[in-house]
Structure formats: structure tokens, C-alpha cells
Amino acid sequence: MRRTVDRTAMVAASLLLATAFPLTPVLAQSAPNAADPTGFASGQEIRAQVAAMRAEMKPDQGFMWRPLVGDGPRVAAIEIWKKPGRPAVHPTEAEYAMVLEGAGTIVSGGTLVAPETRQKGLVEGTEIKGGTTRTLGPGDVLLVPAGVPHWFGITGDRLVLLGMKLPANP
């Protein structure tokens, strides 16, 4: 019983830290160390992170991203989409994601129309011509190679992803 109380206290403390420091991966149950650099977040911690993020989102906010576990440049993050973003391309990174909750669509492939570099590693456009549309639901996994246009549509009130950017093959 004591272990359950300690775990609950730890999750509560993690959620408080997540609010204070939203860009720090705070839910990694076992912090990486020299003997074992593995980051870890339990299913319970992931559900708590999603619940905390949903509670923090403003009614008109369409997207929220928060790191979950990582080791420097490689980060697995929770993404909550309530509104579709702009079609995008990551020229030097592949995007891997698994749907945790909700439903939506992904349009990928084809050609990005009116591409504009918004920031390093991100090119956005107005639409995708000739892409493939796929329906997304819990448990679905996708891997969009670097340089491939993609766009997420939302069906219902949200699409929650566990996502990671991966460097393109050299």
C-alpha cells in the first residue's frame, strides 16, 4: 500500500512540474543514468500527462506538444491536435507517431503547394496535391520519411499522438 501512495505522490509531483516547466520531460519514471540511460514512462504516467495537457489547453488552442522521454536531441513527445495544422515537410527528419486517443486522418505524399520555410527543419504549405489519405485511430502507427509532405486532420474533438522526429538516413 505504501508503494501505491508513493507512486501517486510522484505522479502528482510530476504533473505539478509539468505545469511549471512544460518543455522538460518530467514523466520519465526512471531517469537516465550512466548504468542505464533508458528513459521510461509507464502507461499510467502517459495517461496522466495527456489528461494534464488536455486540462491546460485553452478552448481555442488547436495544438499542444510536450516532451515525455528523451536523450538530448531524440525526444518522444505527446501531441494533442484539436484543430488541423498546416501541411508540412520536415526536410531532414522522419516523423514516427502512434495514435493514443481520438481519431483523424493523415494526408501524406504528393506535392506541397506554396512551400514556405517557417523555421529550421519545417517547411509549411497551403495544401498537398496528389497525397494519400488514411484514417487514423487508437493503436495506428505511421512513419513519414524525411522530405515527405504530410497533414493531420481531426475527426471529433481531438487526435492524441505519441510522436518522435528521427534524423534522416545519411
Side-chain angles (χ1 to χ4, degrees):
M1 185 69 158
R2 175 82 174 136
R3 182 170 170 79
T4 303
V5 171
D6 290 345
R7 184 176 177 87
T8 302
M10 184 169 58
V11 170
S14 294
L15 291 175
L16 287 173
L17 286 171
T19 303
F21 304 102
L23 296 179
T24 304
V26 296
L27 290 180
Q29 172 89 18
S30 41
N33 62 53
D36 180 8
T38 305
F40 174 79
S42 70
Q44 180 181 355
E45 291 167 323
I46 293 167
R47 288 186 295 277
Q49 176 80 323
V50 170
M53 290 171 69
R54 288 184 62 203
E56 291 173 33
M57 287 184 82
K58 295 172 180 54
D60 62 339
Q61 187 175 354
F63 176 77
M64 181 181 268
W65 176 94
R66 183 167 295 154
L68 185 63
V69 295
D71 71 343
R74 292 177 299 262
V75 175
I78 302 292
E79 299 178 15
I80 299 179
W81 295 83
K82 288 187 173 182
K83 297 178 185 174
R86 296 185 60 179
V89 169
H90 305 287
T92 61
E93 297 174 310
E95 186 165 356
Y96 164 83
M98 179 176 185
V99 179
L100 299 177
E101 294 180 9
T105 57
I106 182 169
V107 177
S108 58
T111 304
L112 188 66
V113 176
E116 248 183 87
T117 300
R118 297 289 183 168
Q119 61 190 39
K120 184 179 178 185
L122 178 63
V123 178
E124 292 181 326
T126 56
E127 64 180 304
I128 295 174
K129 292 262 188 189
T132 301
T133 301
R134 293 177 178 89
T135 301
L136 297 174
D140 289 345
V141 173
L142 58 110
L143 178 62
V144 179
V148 173
H150 58 285
W151 173 84
F152 292 105
I154 315 309
T155 304
D157 66 340
R158 70 185 176 282
L159 177 64
V160 181
L161 305 174
L162 174 63
M164 177 178 261
K165 302 285 191 306
L166 304 167
N169 291 334

